[in-house]
Amino acid sequence: MLHTKAPHIEEAAGEALQRAHLLGEPQCISIVEHIDDMDAFQFFHAGGSVDLHRTFWQSADNDLTMVGIGRASQLYAERTDRFQEVQRLWQKLMDNAVVYDDYQKKGTGLTALGGFSFDPEESDDHLWGSFPDSQMTIPAFMLTKVGGAAYLTMNVLIFPEDHLKQIVHQLLDQRETLMKSEGFEAAFPVVTGREEAAPAQWKETVKKATEDIKNGKISKVVLAREIRLKFQDAVQAASVIKELADSQPNSYIFAFESRGDYFVGATPERLAKLENRRLVSTCLAGTTPRGATSEEDEALGLELLNDPKNRQEHQFVVDMIKDAVEACSSNVSIPDVPVLYPLKNLQHLYTPVTAVLDEGYTLLDVVEKLHPTPALGGMPQQEAVSYIRKHEQLNRGWYAGPVGWFDAKNNGEFAVAIRSALIQQDQASLFAGCGVVEDSDPQAEYEETAVKLKPMLTVLGGL
């Protein structure tokens, strides 16, 4: 991958076309320009008139927002070694790319956004037919807001048979459409139907899991359930994303559009972040509601900090993440005890993990080692995933899978796709799960998942 100063788009595309002819394979160009500030939600909405494949990412720290429109390229892999295959395809793309970027900010230039399913061995389900086992998209256009500034990246894959003027005309025409973005009128969903997927059966599954844990088959398992909503009209994704960002300020806000379906959510759970070889992961497990008053809130938090069941669940996560991070990093630092991590509706036990990633490893190596953590799967890892595959009454698809981004400058971040929903025109499936150990009470776990469903239910009008 070559970095150079930005020429005019026609010059850059012309040079890429010459290389494509010479080498006999497609060449990628990436051009970054500094632009005036733009509203990210408006940009996302305007992108619907350019290409019905859009991506959105806003970090929990609110220091980075990326909005992708269209597809310059996509990285797919299925089942076995999917993380390594995506990494191989990414490296090949970079080897045949020229990046024109004078700014070198994270999340600009050649950047891939997307995710992976929770379990590639799950049986196929028509509900997730638009989302393959893994899909990382290099957008044709990407708005990046970082460090108080805004940048527009244009990515294009040039093939030997392409026509230069046609490519340039299309890019400039689409750019003009996006840059003329003048806002959108929010359209809030109107719910006409709501259905819980077999709640009684789900509680029975939790009860059976506690018995299997007592009998030593597994140590812990996370079980998820689903709520389905029906709407009066097709849901406008931009409105949902904006409402999530406004109502869940300490969460990662994400949206991935694929073949007309949207997977959206507001998750508090970082899986791994990499910047300048500095690796950060998060242990987030153990949950209680927020209180109606500050006194009640403090009492609930103190109860959570001293609750044996939640502390045990949290320690499972800490131990697993520690082992995974130490396998590919040095200078690993983990506090001895958790603290509280407050959100609008919930508070969690939280332990940060920091390290320096060893040479030879990538962010996807770390994601592969961490996924799924005990907070999303259980313990032991493979036995818990097999248990979920056999007993859970839904196909998780991308729910509870890793979603995020990485760029050609070795920056990136993945979160765990919880507090999320799959939106399909005028219907949506919402998901929430809980950690089951031997003394778990099915009704209490059911009520915990109900609280976890609130953020998505609220923005979708389902409460």
Side-chain angles (χ1 to χ4, degrees), residues 114-127:
F116 298 79
S117 65
F118 174 79
D119 175 13
E121 298 301 321
E122 276 188 311
S123 58
D124 292 336
D125 188 323
H126 72 279
L127 183 69

Side-chain angles (χ1 to χ4, degrees), residues 124-160:
D124 292 336
D125 188 323
H126 72 279
L127 183 69
W128 290 95
S130 296
F131 288 85
D133 288 342
S134 62
Q135 180 172 280
M136 298 298 298
T137 299
I138 295 86
F141 297 89
M142 187 171 66
L143 170 67
T144 303
K145 302 182 72 169
V146 60
Y151 304 88
L152 180 69
T153 299
M154 289 189 293
N155 298 307
V156 60
L157 200 60
I158 308 288
F159 291 83

Side-chain angles (χ1 to χ4, degrees), residues 1 63 68 77 119 177 186 191 197 249-250 257 298-299 318 350 404 455:
M1 182 180 62
D63 64 343
D119 175 13
T177 299
V191 174
N250 296 324
E257 181 181 19
E298 184 178 349
V318 172
Y350 166 79

Side-chain angles (χ1 to χ4, degrees), residues 152-369:
L152 180 69
T153 299
M154 289 189 293
N155 298 307
V156 60
L157 200 60
I158 308 288
F159 291 83
E161 64 272 17
D162 283 340
H163 297 282
L164 179 60
K165 289 187 177 181
Q166 182 180 352
I167 291 173
V168 172
H169 175 76
Q170 180 177 332
L171 278 174
L172 294 179
D173 186 54
Q174 292 175 338
R175 181 190 181 282
E176 184 179 3
T177 299
L178 292 170
M179 298 302 286
K180 280 184 177 178
S181 172
E182 297 177 352
F184 68 99
E185 185 175 345
F188 298 103
V190 177
V191 174
T192 58
R194 170 174 166 165
E195 175 191 1
E196 292 197 35
Q201 186 180 354
W202 186 83
K203 293 177 190 177
E204 283 298 316
T205 304
V206 173
K207 182 180 178 182
K208 182 182 186 326
T210 62
E211 295 168 354
D212 289 338
I213 292 169
K214 289 173 184 176
N215 292 329
K217 293 184 178 180
I218 49 176
S219 300
K220 173 194 172 182
V221 66
V222 178
L223 295 174
R225 67 185 183 96
E226 177 185 0
I227 286 182
R228 301 187 184 103
L229 299 180
K230 179 83 167 97
F231 304 99
Q232 182 174 292
D233 301 296
V235 176
Q236 184 192 88
S239 295
V240 173
I241 298 166
K242 187 176 188 308
E243 282 296 302
L244 283 174
D246 290 343
S247 62
Q248 302 294 324
N250 296 324
S251 295
Y252 296 92
I253 311 300
F254 64 85
F256 301 100
E257 181 181 19
S258 184
R259 303 174 196 169
D261 294 348
Y262 301 91
F263 182 51
V264 301
T267 174
E269 189 158 349
R270 170 193 288 137
L271 190 61
K273 176 181 180 179
L274 185 64
E275 191 169 343
N276 298 322
R277 307 302 297 178
R278 183 174 181 269
L279 179 66
V280 182
S281 187
T282 297
C283 309
L284 201 71
T287 306
T288 196
R290 299 298 304 270
T293 65
S294 58
E295 291 80 9
E296 182 186 10
D297 198 51
E298 184 178 349
L300 286 168
L302 193 60
E303 182 181 350
L304 177 62
L305 283 167
N306 293 284
D307 178 64
K309 183 258 185 186
N310 279 291
R311 287 296 293 267
Q312 178 192 31
E313 184 180 344
H314 187 80
Q315 194 60 43
F316 278 141
V317 179
V318 172
D319 292 342
M320 182 270 183
I321 289 181
K322 177 177 181 288
D323 290 343
V325 170
E326 286 182 342
C328 56
S329 306
S330 55
N331 299 328
V332 179
S333 176
I334 305 175
D336 293 331
V337 294
V339 296
L340 294 174
Y341 189 86
L343 299 168
K344 182 177 181 180
N345 307 105
L346 300 165
Q347 45 190 330
H348 299 285
L349 295 177
Y350 166 79
T351 299
V353 178
T354 59
V356 177
L357 188 66
D358 292 339
E359 291 296 330
Y361 289 98
T362 69
L363 179 59
L364 286 182
D365 289 325
V366 179
V367 171
E368 183 176 24
K369 291 179 184 299

